[in-house]
Amino acid sequence: MRDKLKIGFFYKEELNLYGDNGNIEALVYRASRRNIQVEVMEIDTETKMNSSNFTDINFIFMGGGPDSAQKNIYKDLISNKKEYLRDYIEAGGVSLFVCGAFQLMGKYYLSSDNSTLEGLNIFSLYTKHYGPKKPRCIGNTAGEISGRITQDPVFKNINRLDNYLVGFENHGGRTYLEDKEHLLSNVIKGHGNNSEDNTEGCIHLNSIGTYYHGPLLAKNPHLSDYLLAKALNTDTLEVLEDVLENKAHTASLKLKE
Ligand code: GLN
């Protein structure tokens, strides 16, 4: 078991749509409540990834943003961060990419002005924005978590709630998985990846991508603890009394789309 959570927090200022930075707060809170040592390293477009500072990061987070924000970080992401992220993810590193960040982990993002942002090509997917004539995917969301997670003994041991995720979505891009088996959840409420194939998000090794803002981890304490356990390489965590979190989660399940 790793005794410290060290978070690599990418593009805090640019990619923080709908309170996505709250995912970091939720994770820090849940680790601190368990007296687990936590360090948050903010990584921005000026950060050079060559120092040994980054070798012991065990959780990476990148949030969502409008097309303009994605373009603001794009050059740095592709030129300076790509190799680090690829090596980290392919080595089984735990990470969470929300919406705009999720899109850029794929092969490409054809954005709203018809320009193409080549992605990091780590997740086997692509995203197309069909422009202003196609309505955005906006609203409350819910999904049934993939068996890739619910059948993981770590999740089975950690989970004190249910097998669902709740959140909020606002995206124009439609994401298509090369292999639908890699979905994060099956859509119960909302548009999911593309309003067509009932998939939401993506799982690749120990990294997940999702359209769920919320912030996701505050409303889904079971997913937070699962990612925390994976980051610490443990299958047990001290049980927290999640009365408020569970109420927020369960109430969100009942919200209309
Ligand atoms: N700009 C992207 C889109 O519109 C991502 C939006 C987001 O991160 N909420 O699809």
Side-chain angles (χ1 to χ4, degrees), residues 8 10 20 23-24 27 59-64 88-89 93-99 101-102 105 123 184 202 206-212 215-218 223-224 227:
F10 280 74
D20 284 342
N23 289 296
I24 301 295
L27 214 47
F59 184 84
I60 281 180
F61 175 74
M62 201 184 299
Y88 173 89
I89 291 169
V94 180
S95 37
L96 171 62
F97 300 97
V98 176
C99 207
F102 167 38
M105 292 299 121
F123 289 2
L184 172 62
C202 174
N206 286 321
S207 290
I208 65 176
T210 180
Y211 275 111
Y212 283 21
L216 176 75
L217 296 185
L223 182 67
S224 296
L227 294 175

PDB file of all heavy atoms in Angstrom, residues 8 10 20 23-24 27 59-64 88-89 93-99 101-102 105 123 184 202 206-212 215-218 223-224 227:
ATOM      1  N   GLY A   8      -1.604  14.948  -9.308  1.00  0.00           N
ATOM      2  CA  GLY A   8      -1.170  15.838 -10.385  1.00  0.00           C
ATOM      3  C   GLY A   8      -2.413  16.525 -10.934  1.00  0.00           C
ATOM      4  O   GLY A   8      -3.257  15.900 -11.562  1.00  0.00           O
ATOM      5  N   PHE A  10      -3.986  19.019 -13.337  1.00  0.00           N
ATOM      6  CA  PHE A  10      -3.653  19.703 -14.588  1.00  0.00           C
ATOM      7  C   PHE A  10      -4.623  20.856 -14.891  1.00  0.00           C
ATOM      8  O   PHE A  10      -5.843  20.706 -14.809  1.00  0.00           O
ATOM      9  CB  PHE A  10      -3.702  18.703 -15.752  1.00  0.00           C
ATOM     10  CG  PHE A  10      -2.463  17.848 -15.861  1.00  0.00           C
ATOM     11  CD1 PHE A  10      -2.230  16.828 -14.955  1.00  0.00           C
ATOM     12  CD2 PHE A  10      -1.531  18.089 -16.872  1.00  0.00           C
ATOM     13  CE1 PHE A  10      -1.087  16.037 -15.050  1.00  0.00           C
ATOM     14  CE2 PHE A  10      -0.387  17.298 -16.971  1.00  0.00           C
ATOM     15  CZ  PHE A  10      -0.159  16.270 -16.063  1.00  0.00           C
ATOM     16  N   ASP A  20     -15.529  21.532 -11.598  1.00  0.00           N
ATOM     17  CA  ASP A  20     -14.736  20.293 -11.687  1.00  0.00           C
ATOM     18  C   ASP A  20     -13.587  20.256 -10.688  1.00  0.00           C
ATOM     19  O   ASP A  20     -13.144  19.182 -10.268  1.00  0.00           O
ATOM     20  CB  ASP A  20     -14.197  20.118 -13.121  1.00  0.00           C
ATOM     21  CG  ASP A  20     -15.289  19.653 -14.081  1.00  0.00           C
ATOM     22  OD1 ASP A  20     -16.331  19.149 -13.592  1.00  0.00           O
ATOM     23  OD2 ASP A  20     -15.102  19.797 -15.294  1.00  0.00           O
ATOM     24  N   ASN A  23     -13.633  18.044  -7.609  1.00  0.00           N
ATOM     25  CA  ASN A  23     -13.174  16.642  -7.558  1.00  0.00           C
ATOM     26  C   ASN A  23     -11.914  16.512  -6.710  1.00  0.00           C
ATOM     27  O   ASN A  23     -11.760  15.555  -5.950  1.00  0.00           O
ATOM     28  CB  ASN A  23     -12.916  16.119  -8.981  1.00  0.00           C
ATOM     29  CG  ASN A  23     -14.207  15.903  -9.755  1.00  0.00           C
ATOM     30  OD1 ASN A  23     -15.032  15.067  -9.390  1.00  0.00           O
ATOM     31  ND2 ASN A  23     -14.419  16.679 -10.795  1.00  0.00           N
ATOM     32  N   ILE A  24     -11.051  17.516  -6.835  1.00  0.00           N
ATOM     33  CA  ILE A  24      -9.815  17.503  -6.027  1.00  0.00           C
ATOM     34  C   ILE A  24     -10.186  17.685  -4.553  1.00  0.00           C
ATOM     35  O   ILE A  24      -9.702  16.984  -3.674  1.00  0.00           O
ATOM     36  CB  ILE A  24      -8.859  18.635  -6.476  1.00  0.00           C
ATOM     37  CG1 ILE A  24      -8.494  18.470  -7.950  1.00  0.00           C
ATOM     38  CG2 ILE A  24      -7.614  18.666  -5.591  1.00  0.00           C
ATOM     39  CD1 ILE A  24      -7.703  17.226  -8.275  1.00  0.00           C
ATOM     40  N   LEU A  27     -11.599  14.458  -3.115  1.00  0.00           N
ATOM     41  CA  LEU A  27     -10.581  13.420  -2.908  1.00  0.00           C
ATOM     42  C   LEU A  27      -9.667  13.772  -1.729  1.00  0.00           C
ATOM     43  O   LEU A  27      -9.371  12.923  -0.888  1.00  0.00           O
ATOM     44  CB  LEU A  27      -9.751  13.282  -4.187  1.00  0.00           C
ATOM     45  CG  LEU A  27      -9.224  11.885  -4.546  1.00  0.00           C
ATOM     46  CD1 LEU A  27     -10.282  10.819  -4.445  1.00  0.00           C
ATOM     47  CD2 LEU A  27      -8.604  11.915  -5.932  1.00  0.00           C
ATOM     48  N   PHE A  59      -2.176   9.988  -8.662  1.00  0.00           N
ATOM     49  CA  PHE A  59      -3.512  10.299  -9.161  1.00  0.00           C
ATOM     50  C   PHE A  59      -3.417  11.549 -10.037  1.00  0.00           C
ATOM     51  O   PHE A  59      -2.823  12.547  -9.609  1.00  0.00           O
ATOM     52  CB  PHE A  59      -4.511  10.540  -8.010  1.00  0.00           C
ATOM     53  CG  PHE A  59      -5.921  10.778  -8.497  1.00  0.00           C
ATOM     54  CD1 PHE A  59      -6.756   9.700  -8.790  1.00  0.00           C
ATOM     55  CD2 PHE A  59      -6.408  12.065  -8.712  1.00  0.00           C
ATOM     56  CE1 PHE A  59      -8.052   9.912  -9.274  1.00  0.00           C
ATOM     57  CE2 PHE A  59      -7.689  12.284  -9.183  1.00  0.00           C
ATOM     58  CZ  PHE A  59      -8.505  11.210  -9.460  1.00  0.00           C
ATOM     59  N   ILE A  60      -4.000  11.478 -11.231  1.00  0.00           N
ATOM     60  CA  ILE A  60      -3.986  12.631 -12.131  1.00  0.00           C
ATOM     61  C   ILE A  60      -5.420  13.053 -12.401  1.00  0.00           C
ATOM     62  O   ILE A  60      -6.303  12.209 -12.591  1.00  0.00           O
ATOM     63  CB  ILE A  60      -3.253  12.281 -13.445  1.00  0.00           C
ATOM     64  CG1 ILE A  60      -1.742  12.346 -13.225  1.00  0.00           C
ATOM     65  CG2 ILE A  60      -3.663  13.218 -14.581  1.00  0.00           C
ATOM     66  CD1 ILE A  60      -0.914  12.021 -14.425  1.00  0.00           C
ATOM     67  N   PHE A  61      -5.634  14.390 -12.390  1.00  0.00           N
ATOM     68  CA  PHE A  61      -6.963  14.923 -12.692  1.00  0.00           C
ATOM     69  C   PHE A  61      -6.855  16.062 -13.702  1.00  0.00           C
ATOM     70  O   PHE A  61      -5.972  16.905 -13.619  1.00  0.00           O
ATOM     71  CB  PHE A  61      -7.671  15.454 -11.430  1.00  0.00           C
ATOM     72  CG  PHE A  61      -8.976  16.115 -11.767  1.00  0.00           C
ATOM     73  CD1 PHE A  61     -10.076  15.337 -12.130  1.00  0.00           C
ATOM     74  CD2 PHE A  61      -9.108  17.501 -11.807  1.00  0.00           C
ATOM     75  CE1 PHE A  61     -11.275  15.931 -12.491  1.00  0.00           C
ATOM     76  CE2 PHE A  61     -10.313  18.107 -12.163  1.00  0.00           C
ATOM     77  CZ  PHE A  61     -11.391  17.316 -12.508  1.00  0.00           C
ATOM     78  N   MET A  62      -7.807  16.065 -14.676  1.00  0.00           N
ATOM     79  CA  MET A  62      -7.925  17.158 -15.638  1.00  0.00           C
ATOM     80  C   MET A  62      -9.411  17.372 -15.903  1.00  0.00           C
ATOM     81  O   MET A  62     -10.150  16.424 -16.162  1.00  0.00           O
ATOM     82  CB  MET A  62      -7.202  16.796 -16.948  1.00  0.00           C
ATOM     83  CG  MET A  62      -6.824  17.962 -17.812  1.00  0.00           C
ATOM     84  SD  MET A  62      -6.078  17.504 -19.399  1.00  0.00           S
ATOM     85  CE  MET A  62      -4.619  16.617 -18.871  1.00  0.00           C
ATOM     86  N   GLY A  63      -9.874  18.606 -15.820  1.00  0.00           N
ATOM     87  CA  GLY A  63     -11.307  18.902 -15.875  1.00  0.00           C
ATOM     88  C   GLY A  63     -11.785  19.343 -17.247  1.00  0.00           C
ATOM     89  O   GLY A  63     -11.072  19.254 -18.247  1.00  0.00           O
ATOM     90  N   GLY A  64     -13.009  19.856 -17.256  1.00  0.00           N
ATOM     91  CA  GLY A  64     -13.637  20.233 -18.518  1.00  0.00           C
ATOM     92  C   GLY A  64     -13.517  21.719 -18.800  1.00  0.00           C
ATOM     93  O   GLY A  64     -13.125  22.502 -17.947  1.00  0.00           O
ATOM     94  N   TYR A  88       2.425   7.457 -17.937  1.00  0.00           N
ATOM     95  CA  TYR A  88       1.743   7.293 -16.637  1.00  0.00           C
ATOM     96  C   TYR A  88       0.510   6.406 -16.799  1.00  0.00           C
ATOM     97  O   TYR A  88       0.317   5.437 -16.056  1.00  0.00           O
ATOM     98  CB  TYR A  88       1.345   8.670 -16.091  1.00  0.00           C
ATOM     99  CG  TYR A  88       0.490   8.615 -14.848  1.00  0.00           C
ATOM    100  CD1 TYR A  88       1.065   8.575 -13.570  1.00  0.00           C
ATOM    101  CD2 TYR A  88      -0.899   8.586 -14.936  1.00  0.00           C
ATOM    102  CE1 TYR A  88       0.268   8.507 -12.431  1.00  0.00           C
ATOM    103  CE2 TYR A  88      -1.702   8.517 -13.802  1.00  0.00           C
ATOM    104  CZ  TYR A  88      -1.105   8.478 -12.559  1.00  0.00           C
ATOM    105  OH  TYR A  88      -1.906   8.402 -11.432  1.00  0.00           O
ATOM    106  N   ILE A  89      -0.315   6.679 -17.793  1.00  0.00           N
ATOM    107  CA  ILE A  89      -1.591   5.953 -17.971  1.00  0.00           C
ATOM    108  C   ILE A  89      -1.325   4.512 -18.398  1.00  0.00           C
ATOM    109  O   ILE A  89      -1.898   3.553 -17.863  1.00  0.00           O
ATOM    110  CB  ILE A  89      -2.486   6.680 -18.987  1.00  0.00           C
ATOM    111  CG1 ILE A  89      -2.967   8.015 -18.390  1.00  0.00           C
ATOM    112  CG2 ILE A  89      -3.671   5.807 -19.419  1.00  0.00           C
ATOM    113  CD1 ILE A  89      -3.638   8.935 -19.394  1.00  0.00           C
ATOM    114  N   GLY A  93      -1.376   3.998 -14.190  1.00  0.00           N
ATOM    115  CA  GLY A  93      -1.618   5.121 -13.269  1.00  0.00           C
ATOM    116  C   GLY A  93      -3.098   5.451 -13.186  1.00  0.00           C
ATOM    117  O   GLY A  93      -3.837   5.287 -14.175  1.00  0.00           O
ATOM    118  N   VAL A  94      -3.556   5.882 -12.010  1.00  0.00           N
ATOM    119  CA  VAL A  94      -4.972   6.189 -11.790  1.00  0.00           C
ATOM    120  C   VAL A  94      -5.226   7.632 -12.194  1.00  0.00           C
ATOM    121  O   VAL A  94      -4.480   8.536 -11.804  1.00  0.00           O
ATOM    122  CB  VAL A  94      -5.344   5.991 -10.307  1.00  0.00           C
ATOM    123  CG1 VAL A  94      -6.823   6.314 -10.052  1.00  0.00           C
ATOM    124  CG2 VAL A  94      -5.052   4.552  -9.878  1.00  0.00           C
ATOM    125  N   SER A  95      -6.244   7.853 -13.021  1.00  0.00           N
ATOM    126  CA  SER A  95      -6.558   9.237 -13.423  1.00  0.00           C
ATOM    127  C   SER A  95      -8.025   9.393 -13.769  1.00  0.00           C
ATOM    128  O   SER A  95      -8.716   8.423 -14.045  1.00  0.00           O
ATOM    129  CB  SER A  95      -5.697   9.683 -14.611  1.00  0.00           C
ATOM    130  OG  SER A  95      -5.486   8.655 -15.521  1.00  0.00           O
ATOM    131  N   LEU A  96      -8.439  10.665 -13.716  1.00  0.00           N
ATOM    132  CA  LEU A  96      -9.822  11.038 -14.035  1.00  0.00           C
ATOM    133  C   LEU A  96      -9.768  12.237 -14.979  1.00  0.00           C
ATOM    134  O   LEU A  96      -9.158  13.263 -14.661  1.00  0.00           O
ATOM    135  CB  LEU A  96     -10.579  11.420 -12.758  1.00  0.00           C
ATOM    136  CG  LEU A  96     -11.969  12.045 -12.945  1.00  0.00           C
ATOM    137  CD1 LEU A  96     -12.935  11.096 -13.650  1.00  0.00           C
ATOM    138  CD2 LEU A  96     -12.523  12.485 -11.574  1.00  0.00           C
ATOM    139  N   PHE A  97     -10.414  12.069 -16.141  1.00  0.00           N
ATOM    140  CA  PHE A  97     -10.481  13.136 -17.142  1.00  0.00           C
ATOM    141  C   PHE A  97     -11.959  13.449 -17.394  1.00  0.00           C
ATOM    142  O   PHE A  97     -12.729  12.543 -17.743  1.00  0.00           O
ATOM    143  CB  PHE A  97      -9.812  12.690 -18.447  1.00  0.00           C
ATOM    144  CG  PHE A  97      -8.357  12.341 -18.286  1.00  0.00           C
ATOM    145  CD1 PHE A  97      -7.957  11.020 -18.129  1.00  0.00           C
ATOM    146  CD2 PHE A  97      -7.397  13.332 -18.260  1.00  0.00           C
ATOM    147  CE1 PHE A  97      -6.619  10.687 -17.958  1.00  0.00           C
ATOM    148  CE2 PHE A  97      -6.048  13.019 -18.094  1.00  0.00           C
ATOM    149  CZ  PHE A  97      -5.664  11.697 -17.933  1.00  0.00           C
ATOM    150  N   VAL A  98     -12.313  14.719 -17.189  1.00  0.00           N
ATOM    151  CA  VAL A  98     -13.723  15.094 -17.308  1.00  0.00           C
ATOM    152  C   VAL A  98     -13.939  15.908 -18.587  1.00  0.00           C
ATOM    153  O   VAL A  98     -13.205  16.858 -18.855  1.00  0.00           O
ATOM    154  CB  VAL A  98     -14.194  15.906 -16.090  1.00  0.00           C
ATOM    155  CG1 VAL A  98     -15.644  16.371 -16.258  1.00  0.00           C
ATOM    156  CG2 VAL A  98     -14.073  15.062 -14.813  1.00  0.00           C
ATOM    157  N   CYS A  99     -14.930  15.514 -19.359  1.00  0.00           N
ATOM    158  CA  CYS A  99     -15.451  16.261 -20.506  1.00  0.00           C
ATOM    159  C   CYS A  99     -14.367  16.741 -21.473  1.00  0.00           C
ATOM    160  O   CYS A  99     -13.834  15.924 -22.209  1.00  0.00           O
ATOM    161  CB  CYS A  99     -16.321  17.390 -19.989  1.00  0.00           C
ATOM    162  SG  CYS A  99     -17.569  17.873 -21.179  1.00  0.00           S
ATOM    163  N   ALA A 101     -11.331  17.448 -21.133  1.00  0.00           N
ATOM    164  CA  ALA A 101     -10.067  16.705 -20.967  1.00  0.00           C
ATOM    165  C   ALA A 101     -10.226  15.291 -21.525  1.00  0.00           C
ATOM    166  O   ALA A 101      -9.352  14.771 -22.228  1.00  0.00           O
ATOM    167  CB  ALA A 101      -9.681  16.661 -19.495  1.00  0.00           C
ATOM    168  N   PHE A 102     -11.374  14.686 -21.228  1.00  0.00           N
ATOM    169  CA  PHE A 102     -11.709  13.335 -21.719  1.00  0.00           C
ATOM    170  C   PHE A 102     -11.606  13.302 -23.252  1.00  0.00           C
ATOM    171  O   PHE A 102     -10.988  12.413 -23.832  1.00  0.00           O
ATOM    172  CB  PHE A 102     -13.120  13.028 -21.214  1.00  0.00           C
ATOM    173  CG  PHE A 102     -13.838  11.863 -21.804  1.00  0.00           C
ATOM    174  CD1 PHE A 102     -13.200  10.673 -22.120  1.00  0.00           C
ATOM    175  CD2 PHE A 102     -15.215  11.954 -22.040  1.00  0.00           C
ATOM    176  CE1 PHE A 102     -13.893   9.592 -22.653  1.00  0.00           C
ATOM    177  CE2 PHE A 102     -15.932  10.871 -22.571  1.00  0.00           C
ATOM    178  CZ  PHE A 102     -15.264   9.701 -22.879  1.00  0.00           C
ATOM    179  N   MET A 105      -8.089  13.112 -24.691  1.00  0.00           N
ATOM    180  CA  MET A 105      -7.339  11.864 -24.483  1.00  0.00           C
ATOM    181  C   MET A 105      -7.533  10.913 -25.665  1.00  0.00           C
ATOM    182  O   MET A 105      -6.871   9.893 -25.771  1.00  0.00           O
ATOM    183  CB  MET A 105      -7.797  11.154 -23.195  1.00  0.00           C
ATOM    184  CG  MET A 105      -7.436  11.878 -21.932  1.00  0.00           C
ATOM    185  SD  MET A 105      -5.651  12.080 -21.722  1.00  0.00           S
ATOM    186  CE  MET A 105      -5.574  13.865 -21.630  1.00  0.00           C
ATOM    187  N   PHE A 123      -6.871   7.078 -25.199  1.00  0.00           N
ATOM    188  CA  PHE A 123      -8.177   6.411 -25.184  1.00  0.00           C
ATOM    189  C   PHE A 123      -8.574   6.148 -26.636  1.00  0.00           C
ATOM    190  O   PHE A 123      -8.432   7.036 -27.490  1.00  0.00           O
ATOM    191  CB  PHE A 123      -9.230   7.319 -24.533  1.00  0.00           C
ATOM    192  CG  PHE A 123      -9.084   7.505 -23.034  1.00  0.00           C
ATOM    193  CD1 PHE A 123      -8.045   6.929 -22.307  1.00  0.00           C
ATOM    194  CD2 PHE A 123     -10.005   8.272 -22.331  1.00  0.00           C
ATOM    195  CE1 PHE A 123      -7.932   7.112 -20.933  1.00  0.00           C
ATOM    196  CE2 PHE A 123      -9.905   8.464 -20.957  1.00  0.00           C
ATOM    197  CZ  PHE A 123      -8.857   7.879 -20.271  1.00  0.00           C
ATOM    198  N   LEU A 184     -17.677   3.606 -19.357  1.00  0.00           N
ATOM    199  CA  LEU A 184     -17.638   3.748 -17.887  1.00  0.00           C
ATOM    200  C   LEU A 184     -18.986   3.355 -17.310  1.00  0.00           C
ATOM    201  O   LEU A 184     -19.072   2.731 -16.264  1.00  0.00           O
ATOM    202  CB  LEU A 184     -17.301   5.195 -17.495  1.00  0.00           C
ATOM    203  CG  LEU A 184     -17.423   5.545 -16.002  1.00  0.00           C
ATOM    204  CD1 LEU A 184     -16.470   4.717 -15.144  1.00  0.00           C
ATOM    205  CD2 LEU A 184     -17.167   7.033 -15.776  1.00  0.00           C
ATOM    206  N   CYS A 202     -15.487   6.361 -20.492  1.00  0.00           N
ATOM    207  CA  CYS A 202     -14.537   5.361 -21.009  1.00  0.00           C
ATOM    208  C   CYS A 202     -13.630   4.905 -19.878  1.00  0.00           C
ATOM    209  O   CYS A 202     -13.301   5.703 -18.983  1.00  0.00           O
ATOM    210  CB  CYS A 202     -13.716   6.047 -22.107  1.00  0.00           C
ATOM    211  SG  CYS A 202     -12.375   5.054 -22.771  1.00  0.00           S
ATOM    212  N   ASN A 206      -6.358   1.911 -15.522  1.00  0.00           N
ATOM    213  CA  ASN A 206      -6.893   2.501 -14.273  1.00  0.00           C
ATOM    214  C   ASN A 206      -7.283   3.959 -14.452  1.00  0.00           C
ATOM    215  O   ASN A 206      -7.327   4.729 -13.474  1.00  0.00           O
ATOM    216  CB  ASN A 206      -5.854   2.358 -13.152  1.00  0.00           C
ATOM    217  CG  ASN A 206      -5.761   0.931 -12.653  1.00  0.00           C
ATOM    218  OD1 ASN A 206      -6.776   0.246 -12.539  1.00  0.00           O
ATOM    219  ND2 ASN A 206      -4.550   0.468 -12.407  1.00  0.00           N
ATOM    220  N   SER A 207      -7.496   4.342 -15.709  1.00  0.00           N
ATOM    221  CA  SER A 207      -7.898   5.727 -15.994  1.00  0.00           C
ATOM    222  C   SER A 207      -9.327   5.757 -16.499  1.00  0.00           C
ATOM    223  O   SER A 207      -9.745   4.858 -17.243  1.00  0.00           O
ATOM    224  CB  SER A 207      -6.973   6.323 -17.061  1.00  0.00           C
ATOM    225  OG  SER A 207      -5.689   6.533 -16.509  1.00  0.00           O
ATOM    226  N   ILE A 208     -10.077   6.789 -16.062  1.00  0.00           N
ATOM    227  CA  ILE A 208     -11.447   6.917 -16.568  1.00  0.00           C
ATOM    228  C   ILE A 208     -11.677   8.301 -17.150  1.00  0.00           C
ATOM    229  O   ILE A 208     -11.057   9.289 -16.713  1.00  0.00           O
ATOM    230  CB  ILE A 208     -12.503   6.597 -15.487  1.00  0.00           C
ATOM    231  CG1 ILE A 208     -12.484   7.586 -14.336  1.00  0.00           C
ATOM    232  CG2 ILE A 208     -12.349   5.193 -14.983  1.00  0.00           C
ATOM    233  CD1 ILE A 208     -13.623   7.293 -13.332  1.00  0.00           C
ATOM    234  N   GLY A 209     -12.512   8.317 -18.179  1.00  0.00           N
ATOM    235  CA  GLY A 209     -12.965   9.570 -18.767  1.00  0.00           C
ATOM    236  C   GLY A 209     -14.474   9.600 -18.669  1.00  0.00           C
ATOM    237  O   GLY A 209     -15.123   8.557 -18.707  1.00  0.00           O
ATOM    238  N   THR A 210     -15.009  10.791 -18.502  1.00  0.00           N
ATOM    239  CA  THR A 210     -16.452  10.907 -18.347  1.00  0.00           C
ATOM    240  C   THR A 210     -16.922  12.302 -18.730  1.00  0.00           C
ATOM    241  O   THR A 210     -16.134  13.256 -18.703  1.00  0.00           O
ATOM    242  CB  THR A 210     -16.878  10.627 -16.880  1.00  0.00           C
ATOM    243  OG1 THR A 210     -18.293  10.753 -16.745  1.00  0.00           O
ATOM    244  CG2 THR A 210     -16.201  11.615 -15.927  1.00  0.00           C
ATOM    245  N   TYR A 211     -18.213  12.385 -19.086  1.00  0.00           N
ATOM    246  CA  TYR A 211     -18.838  13.695 -19.315  1.00  0.00           C
ATOM    247  C   TYR A 211     -19.470  14.235 -18.036  1.00  0.00           C
ATOM    248  O   TYR A 211     -20.033  15.329 -18.024  1.00  0.00           O
ATOM    249  CB  TYR A 211     -19.894  13.592 -20.424  1.00  0.00           C
ATOM    250  CG  TYR A 211     -19.303  13.732 -21.807  1.00  0.00           C
ATOM    251  CD1 TYR A 211     -19.248  12.675 -22.696  1.00  0.00           C
ATOM    252  CD2 TYR A 211     -18.762  14.950 -22.211  1.00  0.00           C
ATOM    253  CE1 TYR A 211     -18.688  12.811 -23.959  1.00  0.00           C
ATOM    254  CE2 TYR A 211     -18.192  15.106 -23.462  1.00  0.00           C
ATOM    255  CZ  TYR A 211     -18.161  14.030 -24.342  1.00  0.00           C
ATOM    256  OH  TYR A 211     -17.607  14.181 -25.582  1.00  0.00           O
ATOM    257  N   TYR A 212     -19.377  13.493 -16.933  1.00  0.00           N
ATOM    258  CA  TYR A 212     -20.073  13.894 -15.715  1.00  0.00           C
ATOM    259  C   TYR A 212     -19.330  14.997 -14.957  1.00  0.00           C
ATOM    260  O   TYR A 212     -18.274  14.776 -14.363  1.00  0.00           O
ATOM    261  CB  TYR A 212     -20.269  12.692 -14.775  1.00  0.00           C
ATOM    262  CG  TYR A 212     -21.374  11.731 -15.166  1.00  0.00           C
ATOM    263  CD1 TYR A 212     -21.860  11.664 -16.465  1.00  0.00           C
ATOM    264  CD2 TYR A 212     -21.946  10.876 -14.231  1.00  0.00           C
ATOM    265  CE1 TYR A 212     -22.855  10.773 -16.832  1.00  0.00           C
ATOM    266  CE2 TYR A 212     -22.967   9.990 -14.572  1.00  0.00           C
ATOM    267  CZ  TYR A 212     -23.400   9.945 -15.881  1.00  0.00           C
ATOM    268  OH  TYR A 212     -24.386   9.055 -16.238  1.00  0.00           O
ATOM    269  N   PRO A 215     -19.535  18.385  -8.828  1.00  0.00           N
ATOM    270  CA  PRO A 215     -18.440  17.564  -9.346  1.00  0.00           C
ATOM    271  C   PRO A 215     -18.670  16.090  -9.092  1.00  0.00           C
ATOM    272  O   PRO A 215     -19.238  15.708  -8.051  1.00  0.00           O
ATOM    273  CB  PRO A 215     -17.222  18.085  -8.582  1.00  0.00           C
ATOM    274  CG  PRO A 215     -17.773  18.602  -7.296  1.00  0.00           C
ATOM    275  CD  PRO A 215     -19.146  19.120  -7.581  1.00  0.00           C
ATOM    276  N   LEU A 216     -18.207  15.297 -10.032  1.00  0.00           N
ATOM    277  CA  LEU A 216     -18.437  13.854 -10.047  1.00  0.00           C
ATOM    278  C   LEU A 216     -18.110  13.212  -8.694  1.00  0.00           C
ATOM    279  O   LEU A 216     -18.951  12.493  -8.118  1.00  0.00           O
ATOM    280  CB  LEU A 216     -17.589  13.214 -11.139  1.00  0.00           C
ATOM    281  CG  LEU A 216     -17.630  11.694 -11.225  1.00  0.00           C
ATOM    282  CD1 LEU A 216     -18.938  11.196 -11.829  1.00  0.00           C
ATOM    283  CD2 LEU A 216     -16.438  11.190 -12.061  1.00  0.00           C
ATOM    284  N   LEU A 217     -16.905  13.464  -8.177  1.00  0.00           N
ATOM    285  CA  LEU A 217     -16.453  12.676  -7.015  1.00  0.00           C
ATOM    286  C   LEU A 217     -17.181  13.073  -5.732  1.00  0.00           C
ATOM    287  O   LEU A 217     -17.295  12.281  -4.799  1.00  0.00           O
ATOM    288  CB  LEU A 217     -14.931  12.803  -6.846  1.00  0.00           C
ATOM    289  CG  LEU A 217     -14.098  12.231  -8.000  1.00  0.00           C
ATOM    290  CD1 LEU A 217     -12.613  12.293  -7.660  1.00  0.00           C
ATOM    291  CD2 LEU A 217     -14.513  10.814  -8.370  1.00  0.00           C
ATOM    292  N   ALA A 218     -17.716  14.311  -5.701  1.00  0.00           N
ATOM    293  CA  ALA A 218     -18.451  14.714  -4.483  1.00  0.00           C
ATOM    294  C   ALA A 218     -19.782  13.982  -4.396  1.00  0.00           C
ATOM    295  O   ALA A 218     -20.254  13.640  -3.310  1.00  0.00           O
ATOM    296  CB  ALA A 218     -18.674  16.226  -4.509  1.00  0.00           C
ATOM    297  N   LEU A 223     -17.238   5.974  -6.005  1.00  0.00           N
ATOM    298  CA  LEU A 223     -16.222   6.090  -7.070  1.00  0.00           C
ATOM    299  C   LEU A 223     -14.972   6.784  -6.531  1.00  0.00           C
ATOM    300  O   LEU A 223     -13.843   6.367  -6.837  1.00  0.00           O
ATOM    301  CB  LEU A 223     -16.786   6.863  -8.263  1.00  0.00           C
ATOM    302  CG  LEU A 223     -15.824   6.992  -9.461  1.00  0.00           C
ATOM    303  CD1 LEU A 223     -15.559   5.633 -10.119  1.00  0.00           C
ATOM    304  CD2 LEU A 223     -16.348   7.996 -10.488  1.00  0.00           C
ATOM    305  N   SER A 224     -15.171   7.811  -5.713  1.00  0.00           N
ATOM    306  CA  SER A 224     -14.008   8.501  -5.101  1.00  0.00           C
ATOM    307  C   SER A 224     -13.140   7.513  -4.344  1.00  0.00           C
ATOM    308  O   SER A 224     -11.919   7.472  -4.526  1.00  0.00           O
ATOM    309  CB  SER A 224     -14.486   9.543  -4.080  1.00  0.00           C
ATOM    310  OG  SER A 224     -15.215  10.530  -4.673  1.00  0.00           O
ATOM    311  N   LEU A 227     -11.242   5.050  -6.629  1.00  0.00           N
ATOM    312  CA  LEU A 227     -10.048   5.649  -7.250  1.00  0.00           C
ATOM    313  C   LEU A 227      -8.964   5.877  -6.202  1.00  0.00           C
ATOM    314  O   LEU A 227      -7.770   5.651  -6.469  1.00  0.00           O
ATOM    315  CB  LEU A 227     -10.432   6.960  -7.947  1.00  0.00           C
ATOM    316  CG  LEU A 227     -11.367   6.829  -9.148  1.00  0.00           C
ATOM    317  CD1 LEU A 227     -11.763   8.212  -9.671  1.00  0.00           C
ATOM    318  CD2 LEU A 227     -10.743   5.997 -10.266  1.00  0.00           C
TER     319      LEU A 227
END
